[in-house]
Amino acid sequence: MTAVMDKPLASDERADGSRPWAAVIALAGFETRRLLTMLPMLIAFLVYIGWTVWRTGKDWGAYPALQDADRATQGAPMLVGLTVLLCVNRAALRSRRHGTEPYFGTLVMPPWRRAVAHALSALAVALLTAVCVAAQFGREVLRPGAIGQGSVSELLVGPLTVLLAGLFGLLLAGLVRSSLAAPLLVVFALFLFLFLWGTSDDASRWLLPVVVEATSNTLPSDLLGRPAGWHALYLAGLALCAGLTAVLVAGGRKPVLLTGIAGALAMTLVGGVTQTGGESPELVRARERASDTPGQLQSCVRRDGSMYCAFPEWGPRVGDWAGVVDRVRSLAGGRAQDQKIVVRQRIEARYGLSSDSALTPLERPHEVTVGTQWGGNRVPEFSAAVAGVLVAGEEKAATSICDGRIVTVMWLALGWESDPMAALRRVRLDDSDTGSAVVLQPTDGLSMTEAQTEVVRELLARPRGEVTARVKDNWAELTEPKVTAARAAELLGVAAPEGDDKCAY
């Protein structure tokens, strides 16, 4: 029997017959596998994961603040995003490039459903990026010494950037049927990013997918002032708008898609406008209070007689600070070995995250500043600040030392370290262990002359117990103002220095 049809079915009509979305899902799975196994995608993910693993193994990230760790997940996915843009665009133009576009008219799947399949493949890559972001942040959370709290909105930026790039590549393939358009767009995007990079206080920077901070300043999470939630809404709206427009251009159903595009535009406008609204007066006042009178916001605990005052998120770090204070005092002599001190955490938050303003030294007796970062070079810097207060009595006076007392200060600061010579290089501004240099601290630095450096090097090379005994026996004269480096060397049993013993200021 022969069946006669009055007219051929259009592709849309045939697709709507039975389980049309099953074909879309099947095609999306095929496109996803093809996208993830493309050589550029494999290279992009290898570089992304390799860079992330390498960064998290560094000393300066050993004690993470989670309100910084969430932002650290945003930059590297941009490489994946640019690669997805190119690969999705190339996949969407595959039929045109191979001259097979006319054959698709004989299939049951209309062009707009093929566009949906490509969009779902970009979504799959974004989800894979989200897994990588979650693993990166989870590793920071599980690190010993991690403090603070992260933001889900900040963590969403990386995956949303990848999704936005992929859907924009799909939209570009529908608007410009050329394989050259996507690479040119990537070059333009890089130039645009470089042009806006560094405009840290300009509200326009929030129009970029990733908003970086020009400094490494760490603030309490409630003082950050980053509109992360509105920015995530802005990115989600942009991505949704690009994806729906791509399906509309491919011939999708107009009423439904136009309604969706209108909603996506509303999301984009609300997020985009709100995120550039600036800082609220309440936030500005809170930052001023944290900078001028931190004691009103801090909790204090006592350890071995000394007081440690910190913002609530840094409470778990008191034990690390107390350990350094105890080790420094164990090398001191006279009343300094039992001296009780106050460790005060301080920040300069009035300029937000876009400033690395210096802290002025404290003038209250036996009070020491500690910052919001820890690990790496921050440890010997804090140790030097504690030693300076034990020798000079106060932070302001310690930063003004310009005599042989700096030898005693640096011995106390570094003598307890497992590798004191490496610590000496890390704590000096120029990473040197010879000649004159500035020693970094949480506030103003100390100044070491060439002669003082020679004596300190000799001390650090000798047995710790021998030097400690001499320091304790001669504590009064070693901490006397105007003592010279040569006299300090004589008291400590090392050769007289030959270098210059004049301060640089």
Side-chain angles (χ1 to χ4, degrees):
M1 183 176 67
T2 301
V4 179
M5 300 178 62
D6 292 337
K7 60 179 182 179
L9 290 174
S11 57
D12 270 339
E13 294 171 333
R14 284 176 290 178
D16 289 338
S18 64
R19 304 180 60 194
W21 289 105
V24 175
I25 298 300
L27 180 59
F30 168 80
E31 294 293 350
T32 299
R33 287 194 299 273
R34 192 180 179 95
L35 181 61
L36 289 175
T37 54
M38 293 179 71
L39 184 59
M41 284 303 307
L42 293 175
I43 294 175
F45 268 103
L46 284 176
V47 173
Y48 166 38
I49 295 174
W51 168 259
T52 302
V53 172
W54 181 80
R55 287 279 297 175
T56 54
K58 297 301 179 185
D59 287 340
W60 54 79
Y63 297 86
L66 299 182
Q67 56 265 40
D68 292 344
D70 55 9
R71 294 200 310 278
T73 64
Q74 298 177 356
M78 291 184 66
L79 173 64
V80 178
L82 293 177
T83 308
V84 169
L85 190 155
L86 294 173
C87 292
V88 170
N89 180 268
R90 185 174 178 80
L93 294 175
R94 186 189 309 130
S95 58
R96 178 180 177 84
R97 191 169 59 253
H98 294 168
T100 58
E101 188 67 28
Y103 298 103
F104 283 100
T106 65
L107 301 179
V108 295
M109 184 177 292
W112 70 269
R113 282 187 169 148
R114 282 189 277 140
V116 172
H118 284 296
L120 291 176
S121 70
L123 176 63
V125 178
L127 292 175
L128 181 58
T129 305
V131 172
C132 296
V133 167
Q136 179 183 354
F137 185 72
R139 179 176 177 178
E140 298 300 306
V141 172
L142 296 176
R143 276 178 179 272
I147 55 94
Q149 55 185 359
S151 165
V152 175
S153 299
E154 297 280 12
L155 295 173
L156 285 174
V157 168
L160 286 175
T161 300
V162 172
L163 179 62
L164 172 62
L167 294 180
F168 199 80
L170 177 62
L171 173 61
L172 191 64
L175 296 176
V176 183
R177 310 291 286 178
S178 170
S179 299
L180 294 176
L184 292 176
L185 178 66
V186 170
V187 173
F188 174 76
L190 291 175
F191 271 107
L192 182 65
F193 186 78
L194 292 175
F195 177 75
L196 293 178
W197 184 286
T199 55
S200 57
D201 293 327
D202 194 336
S204 63
R205 68 184 182 137
W206 286 98
L207 300 179
L208 293 172
V210 175
V211 182
V212 297
E213 302 294 345
T215 70
S216 57
N217 195 16
T218 298
L219 296 180
S221 55
D222 57 344
L223 299 181
L224 293 182
R226 284 174 59 91
W230 295 115
H231 188 62
L233 180 68
Y234 164 74
L235 290 179
L238 273 182
L240 194 57
C241 189
L244 292 175
T245 305
V247 177
L248 179 67
V249 170
R253 296 175 179 175
K254 288 187 177 179
V256 175
L257 291 173
L258 288 176
T259 302
I261 291 171
L265 280 175
M267 289 172 56
T268 306
L269 289 175
V270 171
V273 172
T274 308
Q275 69 181 348
T276 57
E279 297 166 348
S280 67
E282 292 79 10
L283 176 63
V284 173
R285 285 194 292 271
R287 285 175 171 175
E288 291 175 349
R289 189 164 57 252
S291 304
D292 296 334
T293 55
Q296 296 180 3
L297 306 173
Q298 294 178 338
S299 300
C300 297
V301 297
R302 190 175 293 278
R303 295 282 182 91
D304 296 329
S306 295
M307 190 76 76
Y308 298 86
C309 299
F311 292 102
E313 291 175 312
W314 277 264
R317 199 158 287 170
V318 166
D320 296 319
W321 302 336
V324 173
V325 171
D326 289 343
R327 293 185 186 98
V328 173
R329 283 193 306 197
S330 69
L331 301 180
R335 290 188 297 179
Q337 56 189 330
D338 299 316
Q339 179 63 52
K340 314 304 181 187
I341 63 175
V342 176
V343 175
R344 174 77 62 188
Q345 190 176 37
R346 297 169 63 205
I347 57 174
E348 178 50 85
R350 283 171 289 199
Y351 310 105
L353 284 171
S354 301
S355 174
D356 270 334
S357 300
L359 296 170
T360 56
L362 294 169
E363 298 185 32
R364 294 185 287 271
H366 304 118
E367 190 163 344
V368 185
T369 298
V370 66
T372 53
Q373 296 183 341
W374 192 247
N377 294 357
R378 304 294 88 79
V379 177
E381 291 172 12
F382 173 64
S383 182
V386 175
V389 167
L390 290 180
V391 170
E394 65 175 52
E395 211 168 60
K396 179 70 174 178
T399 58
S400 303
I401 291 179
C402 182
D403 50 46
R405 288 179 293 172
I406 201 71
V407 171
T408 306
V409 171
M410 295 309 295
W411 164 252
L412 298 180
L414 307 175
W416 59 270
E417 293 268 10
S418 57
D419 188 351
M421 288 303 296
L424 174 63
R425 288 188 288 272
R426 295 206 314 269
V427 80
R428 287 159 60 107
L429 182 61
D430 58 359
D431 295 334
S432 67
D433 57 14
T434 58
S436 61
V438 172
V439 175
L440 298 173
Q441 294 189 117
T443 59
D444 294 346
L446 304 171
S447 179
M448 289 185 74
T449 67
E450 183 180 0
Q452 293 160 4
T453 303
E454 288 182 39
V455 178
V456 171
R457 283 173 51 89
E458 288 286 334
L459 294 177
L460 296 180
R462 294 198 167 200
R464 183 180 305 166
E466 174 189 332
V467 179
T468 301
R470 285 183 174 273
V471 169
K472 290 180 181 292
D473 291 343
N474 299 281
W475 180 260
E477 191 171 355
L478 286 171
T479 56
E480 186 73 20
K482 305 301 182 183
V483 65
T484 64
R487 178 57 180 162
E490 182 181 355
L491 292 172
L492 296 172
V494 299
E498 298 178 353
D500 188 7
D501 195 22
K502 291 183 179 180
C503 298
Y505 56 88

